[in-house]
Amino acid sequence: MEVRNIKILGVEFRIGELFRASRSFYAWIFILLGLIAVGLFAWSVQLRYGLVVTGTRNVVPWGLYVMNFIFFVGLAAGGLIIVSSVELFGVKKLAPLLKVGVIEAGTCVFLAMLFIIVDMGHPERAYWFILSPNPPSVLTYDFYILGIYLTLCIIDAYALFSGRTKWMFPLSIVSLPAAIGIHSITAWVFGTIKSRPAWHSPIMAPIFISSAITSALGLMILITLLLPKVTKLRFDREIILYLRRILTVAVPIDVFFLFNELLIATLPTSAMPEQYTAFLFILVERYAPVFWAETLIAAVIPMIIFLHPRTRNSIPAIAIASFMVVVGIFMKRVYIIIVGMSYSPLGELVYYAPTVIEIAVMAGWIALGMLIFTLAIKILPMEAEAESH
Amino acid sequence: MIDRRNFLKLATIAAGSFFIGGLSRLSSILSQDYPWAAARTPEYWKTPPPKPGVRYGMVIDARACIGCRKCVYACIYENNTGRKSGIEYIRILEMKHREINLMETEHYFEKSPDPDFWYLPTQCNQCENPPCVDACPVKATWKEPDGIVVVDYNKCIGCRNCMANCPYWQRKFNWIKPEVPEEDLNPKVPVRPIGVVEKCTFCIHRVRDGMEPRCVEACPLRVRKFGDLNDPESAVSKLLRTRRTFRLKEDLGTEPRVFYLG
């Protein structure tokens, strides 16, 4: 039985590849499906018993799901920022990453949506976003920009995979603002809350975007290193070194923005009591390990690796540093939520810790994202345009 | 020995059953607990209708409050609040003398009155400029013509953005399905579904019928006064004219309508 490739609207789907794959590929798919099943089961438990099965309560109403949401919005935003910079700023070196970048961005924004769906008490009522949107609420715009962004990713992918390279420039003109927009709007959801002084800050959107670019670059480096090991794709060593160079700039910018926030929140002449208490909680109290570990693994160690002459050009070292950056930015999302939520506006302090259900749902959704990514890489023609010319 | 084709068949069948099983389970749970709602009007906020030209407000003499929590429990019974939901519309804060510092409060004091502390009853302030209403992405919460901020329990999507935006921490979420004993059910108040946000309504079902909110009635020291702020002859208006009052977090510009005698 030979399964033929199918072509829909000029995009070739190499379905046959699925039937010719190695045993380890099927094993991988199987593991992912198992994790997705676990996640779906955990979600069904949550739907039956309510959000009480999560670690969130009235004092800390947002938890692991929202942390994942902003993390994946960041990865998605960073993905299209990298992609559109190829066309807009002529970074031709990164052109081989176009297709991977678009798939990564699309998958991540889809995951972000899934995390919001499980966070809602009534996801089946989401149609009210369309029937009665509330203009003063930033969350309304977040819903729309997520939808627009996913659509843009799909159009971008269609243009790339059907060989319509002429579309890429106009698409990039739209994609870049959308990528900045999706993450700014998500940051403003938190930055515009005057009742949570630790969040109420104009630096929120800049921090979110710098973290987004940092984590997305780290993930792109990991993907570029991993894909040649499991597929026939090959990437130039130069690409990784180039991504590493951008990361060497992105990490200090991210640290600088955060330092601004910390200075305003803690310096005696500027510290407002509520903000100060909240920041002490992540700087020296219960969540201090998360904060300082993040500083170490998302900033200090990667910067040493990127700057030291003996490690800066070593691929394994860059791989380790990139992995640290991605994990570190996730931890940053964790304490950014914690800092605004742990103290209620009436001064009640609650320690948030995720439950098994939350972690299972998270594992399931991330496995689903990996499944989508794996299948897309498998069946879509990933060869870079540059090679076919 | 499983050959590749058989393995593939197995994997496909397993994958298919995972998805179909999971999705059908999800859809059955969704249709069971959360019926798909067409645009429904919340009739429960229309009967009885708001009186024109009325602006409800409350004045609380915090100096006299002894922290007995009679109002807290009366409120739970009046409003069909789930007995195990961990939701209270009123939270009494125990604070040190000489300060009003909302970051230094004791919520779970056991002995009261304690002469070393004073007590501040807090509840929804029914703000003139409510941040929660602006924060709701789907207009599931709004300010009624008589100034009471209400939630449409059939529309709330449970995103909890209003909880994050309330400067007074007066919105609570139904983390579990509220359980109210049949014999204690108040027929005038809808029992909330799971997964929606709820809050104090100034006992809207009572005050629109000319009664006082339950907490006002339940206070053994009559610490609370309730009435129409637009009516110069009401008890609250007289108090606001003749006595010094303060409101919580006035610097946020929310214009609360719960006043404290100071």
Side-chain angles (χ1 to χ4, degrees):
Chain A
M1 181 183 72
E2 178 61 36
V3 179
R4 306 263 295 278
N5 295 343
I6 48 172
K7 209 164 183 176
I8 302 167
L9 295 167
V11 183
E12 193 185 11
F13 290 93
R14 295 172 180 167
I15 306 294
E17 289 292 321
L18 285 180
F19 298 86
R20 287 190 293 271
S22 65
R23 189 151 287 189
S24 51
F25 177 80
Y26 294 126
W28 169 242
I29 297 291
F30 215 70
I31 294 169
L32 291 180
L33 284 175
L35 281 172
I36 295 167
V38 170
L40 282 176
F41 174 74
W43 187 30
S44 75
V45 171
Q46 179 188 306
L47 283 174
R48 166 145 299 173
Y49 297 103
L51 278 150
V52 71
V53 298
T54 69
T56 46
R57 287 295 178 272
N58 286 325
V59 173
V60 187
W62 289 337
L64 195 64
Y65 298 149
V66 173
M67 295 164 188
N68 272 293
F69 166 65
I70 57 179
F71 179 65
F72 282 103
V73 165
L75 289 178
L80 269 206
I81 289 173
I82 295 170
V83 168
S84 32
S85 64
V86 174
E87 287 291 331
L88 290 184
F89 310 125
V91 195
K92 293 292 171 205
K93 256 182 202 163
L94 295 183
L97 290 183
L98 274 175
K99 289 174 172 177
V100 184
V102 163
I103 295 177
E104 184 259 358
T107 313
C108 287
V109 73
F110 179 64
L111 275 187
M113 288 171 154
L114 287 183
F115 275 110
I116 273 312
I117 287 171
V118 289
D119 189 58
M120 284 159 64
H122 281 276
E124 83 284 5
R125 293 178 184 169
Y127 61 89
W128 284 118
F129 273 107
I130 297 154
L131 293 186
S132 75
N134 189 19
S137 169
V138 183
L139 211 54
T140 314
Y141 301 95
D142 215 16
F143 173 85
Y144 284 99
I145 192 79
L146 280 169
I148 290 169
Y149 195 77
L150 183 60
T151 316
L152 268 177
C153 285
I154 291 169
I155 298 175
D156 271 357
Y158 176 69
L160 277 173
F161 288 108
S162 62
R164 288 173 169 79
T165 35
K166 264 188 272 175
W167 288 18
M168 282 318 287
F169 186 74
L171 272 176
S172 297
I173 294 177
V174 192
S175 299
L176 188 61
I180 302 286
I182 186 174
H183 219 46
S184 300
I185 293 175
T186 305
W188 292 332
V189 168
F190 304 94
T192 56
I193 300 183
K194 63 181 168 188
S195 64
R196 306 273 176 171
W199 282 343
H200 190 227
S201 157
I203 201 83
M204 280 305 252
I207 285 192
F208 270 50
I209 288 173
S210 64
S211 299
I213 294 175
T214 308
S215 60
L217 283 167
L219 187 66
M220 286 307 283
I221 292 180
L222 287 178
I223 290 173
T224 344
L225 287 174
L226 210 62
L227 281 186
K229 298 228 187 301
V230 290
T231 64
K232 296 192 197 82
L233 293 173
R234 295 291 174 268
F235 297 105
D236 224 2
R237 187 187 150 88
E238 283 302 307
I239 292 178
I240 290 149
L241 294 182
Y242 190 76
L243 288 176
R244 187 263 291 151
R245 268 168 63 196
I246 316 177
L247 200 50
T248 320
V249 183
V251 171
I253 292 176
D254 196 26
V255 172
F256 173 68
F257 286 160
L258 183 73
F259 180 75
N260 272 272
E261 175 77 36
L262 291 178
L263 191 74
I264 302 293
T266 54
L267 208 67
T269 52
S270 77
M272 302 295 276
E274 284 179 62
Q275 206 184 12
Y276 182 68
T277 322
F279 271 93
L280 277 196
F281 186 64
I282 61 158
L283 287 177
V284 294
E285 285 161 28
R286 181 68 72 98
Y287 274 84
V290 180
F291 178 85
W292 293 108
E294 188 272 332
T295 313
L296 212 60
I297 70 170
V300 178
I301 299 176
M303 280 315 282
I304 294 173
I305 290 175
F306 293 151
L307 292 175
H308 196 281
R310 287 197 29 208
T311 49
R312 56 187 299 181
N313 292 327
S314 140
I315 297 296
I318 294 176
I320 292 169
S322 307
F323 181 72
M324 285 175 144
V325 163
V326 176
V327 175
I329 295 298
F330 181 78
M331 289 162 73
K332 189 167 188 162
R333 307 308 196 189
V334 170
Y335 72 70
I336 276 187
I337 295 297
I338 289 295
V339 75
M341 287 261 145
S342 278
Y343 282 95
S344 84
L346 292 184
E348 190 179 355
L349 172 64
V350 166
Y351 301 114
Y352 166 78
T355 59
V356 179
I357 296 286
E358 272 171 295
I359 293 168
V361 170
M362 172 181 163
W365 280 178
I366 292 177
L368 179 58
M370 286 179 169
L371 182 72
I372 295 170
F373 189 79
T374 311
L375 293 180
I377 298 285
K378 194 75 183 173
I379 64 173
L380 288 170
M382 294 302 295
E383 297 79 21
E385 286 302 317
E387 290 170 31
S388 55
H389 282 314
Chain B
M1 182 65 194
I2 304 175
D3 68 1
R4 184 162 293 177
R5 179 179 286 185
N6 276 338
F7 179 78
L8 205 79
K9 269 185 196 161
L10 255 166
T12 320
I13 292 166
S17 49
F18 272 141
F19 277 114
I20 294 166
L23 287 180
S24 68
R25 188 173 157 75
L26 285 179
S27 62
S28 76
I29 290 173
L30 280 173
S31 57
Q32 169 197 330
D33 285 348
Y34 314 100
W36 279 73
R40 279 183 290 190
T41 39
E43 293 300 323
Y44 44 82
W45 299 137
K46 290 193 175 142
T47 47
K51 295 191 189 93
V54 169
R55 216 67 172 161
Y56 291 119
M58 190 180 276
V59 180
I60 302 178
D61 188 356
R63 302 168 305 174
C65 176
I66 55 168
C68 66
R69 293 206 183 100
K70 285 267 193 311
C71 52
V72 178
Y73 302 121
C75 169
I76 287 173
Y77 278 80
E78 175 68 32
N79 286 294
N80 289 340
T81 310
R83 302 295 190 260
K84 291 175 186 159
S85 300
I87 296 174
E88 301 145 3
Y89 290 171
I90 303 175
R91 188 51 78 85
I92 314 248
L93 308 178
E94 188 187 68
M95 279 190 274
K96 283 189 231 103
H97 289 302
R98 307 204 307 179
E99 64 180 45
I100 307 173
N101 182 356
L102 289 180
M103 292 304 281
E104 301 274 334
T105 56
E106 176 56 55
H107 290 242
Y108 303 102
F109 58 91
E110 279 168 7
K111 179 173 78 87
S112 77
D114 184 331
D116 293 339
F117 297 97
W118 68 285
Y119 301 88
L120 182 76
T122 62
Q123 66 201 75
C124 175
N125 284 289
Q126 317 290 357
C127 305
E128 196 65 53
N129 310 314
C132 52
V133 168
D134 290 334
C136 178
V138 297
K139 293 183 184 162
T141 179
W142 63 88
K143 202 172 64 180
E144 284 280 290
D146 47 11
I148 299 176
V149 177
V150 293
V151 182
D152 183 350
Y153 309 129
N154 293 327
K155 194 177 180 185
C156 173
I157 59 169
C159 67
R160 311 194 283 293
N161 198 29
C162 55
M163 295 173 71
N165 275 272
C166 174
Y168 306 101
W169 193 68
Q170 294 304 344
R171 284 176 163 258
K172 309 292 152 64
F173 187 72
N174 281 287
W175 303 97
I176 59 172
K177 198 174 173 64
E179 279 173 23
V180 187
E182 201 69 44
E183 62 272 20
D184 292 348
L185 214 55
N186 181 354
K188 284 184 171 175
V189 180
V191 178
R192 273 71 65 187
I194 191 173
V196 300
V197 168
E198 58 175 273
K199 63 182 281 298
C200 160
T201 61
F202 264 174
C203 284
I204 193 165
H205 53 287
R206 289 169 63 95
V207 298
R208 283 183 179 173
D209 270 347
M211 285 186 278
E212 289 182 317
R214 190 74 184 84
C215 55
V216 175
E217 205 177 81
C219 181
L221 292 165
R222 300 296 283 169
V223 156
R224 296 160 182 270
K225 295 279 181 289
F226 180 83
D228 181 7
L229 297 175
N230 284 350
D231 172 11
E233 293 311 308
S234 70
V236 280
S237 296
K238 280 180 188 162
L239 274 173
L240 290 176
R241 253 201 323 274
T242 55
R243 305 281 289 274
R244 290 291 161 264
T245 55
F246 68 89
R247 295 177 288 181
L248 296 180
K249 299 193 183 184
E250 267 175 304
D251 49 328
L252 293 182
T254 50
E255 300 288 332
R257 272 193 295 263
V258 172
F259 300 82
Y260 295 93
L261 285 183

